[in-house]
Amino acid sequence: LGVLTLLVLTQSAKKDPELLKVWVNTVLGETWVDQGEAPDWERLFERAEDYTIGKVPEGGLFLTAGADVQKDRIEVEIVAWGESKESWSVDYRVLYGDPAGQAVWQTLSNMLEEQFPHASGIHLPISMLAVDSGYATQEVYAWCRKHPSNRVMAIKGSEKAILPLGTPSKVDVTIGGRRLKRGARVWPIGVSVLKSELYA
């Protein structure tokens, strides 16, 4: 691009946040980072609904869960999802135990098999459980390998990802460096993208 064209594009981008985002990503070759702050807690609190924890509300269609591994526990949130991305926190559990041992992972496996009562009277299973592999990485991979890939996934947050959920990469290799066909995979999660969507 010529200098005059770049100058015009720069001035236009300063007036339009979406154009500025494209400018930073494509012309400068840098990752766009949203500068906004989290929404005011009072605005969020006003949108809260009254429902029983542990029971899926009427609009809930399916359940997912997210697990965060810490040095002495695994924290898990079970979320019901409805139309137009409406969601309800159905349960939040803290599973105490050292992730280097087996006990806490067995507790997580048992939880994966639970079914949660729905307001309609049926019971729903957890459709997908995502485990953050940022801590105790090898233990997370080992646990995920033991479960079907259509129920469990290892994830890793990425500030640079441009999609909410990226393409998985295989993390298991043989001694020769070849990727194992049925080895563990880790899915990149676009943290900035998801924060922007939530804040909007």
Side-chain angles (χ1 to χ4, degrees), residues 66-76 92-101 104-105 108 131-137 139-140:
D68 184 37
V69 182
Q70 302 291 324
K71 65 179 181 177
D72 62 346
R73 67 193 184 281
I74 300 174
E75 298 192 20
V76 186
Y92 190 88
R93 299 187 188 174
V94 180
L95 315 177
Y96 287 101
D98 183 352
V104 73
W105 294 106
L108 185 62
V131 186
D132 188 350
S133 63
Y135 182 81
T137 304
E139 288 83 355
V140 171

Side-chain angles (χ1 to χ4, degrees), residues 22-94:
V22 172
W23 166 259
V24 170
N25 288 341
T26 57
V27 177
L28 298 180
E30 298 175 2
T31 303
W32 174 263
V33 178
D34 282 308
Q35 301 299 318
E37 295 183 14
D40 183 19
W41 71 267
E42 288 146 336
R43 281 180 42 220
L44 290 175
F45 185 77
E46 289 167 2
R47 295 179 62 183
E49 297 176 21
D50 187 25
Y51 62 93
T52 305
I53 295 299
K55 188 173 186 178
V56 181
E58 192 64 46
L61 302 174
F62 65 94
L63 300 176
T64 62
D68 184 37
V69 182
Q70 302 291 324
K71 65 179 181 177
D72 62 346
R73 67 193 184 281
I74 300 174
E75 298 192 20
V76 186
E77 182 181 22
I78 297 107
V79 177
W81 294 92
E83 292 182 7
S84 303
K85 298 182 186 175
E86 187 173 6
S87 65
W88 300 264
S89 183
V90 172
D91 205 351
Y92 190 88
R93 299 187 188 174
V94 180

Side-chain angles (χ1 to χ4, degrees), residues 1 5-6 10 16 19-20 67 69 73 75-76 81 93 96 105 114 122 130 132 137 149 163-164 167-168 186-187:
L1 295 175
T5 305
L6 286 174
T10 303
D16 181 355
L19 189 56
L20 183 58
V69 182
R73 67 193 184 281
E75 298 192 20
V76 186
W81 294 92
R93 299 187 188 174
Y96 287 101
W105 294 106
E114 286 184 44
I122 64 169
D132 188 350
T137 304
S149 60
L163 296 172
T167 304
V186 63
W187 296 76

Side-chain angles (χ1 to χ4, degrees), residues 168-184:
S169 57
K170 293 182 180 177
V171 291
D172 285 336
V173 294
T174 63
I175 294 172
R178 291 180 60 195
R179 307 263 181 203
L180 294 176
K181 254 186 182 178
R182 299 180 189 265

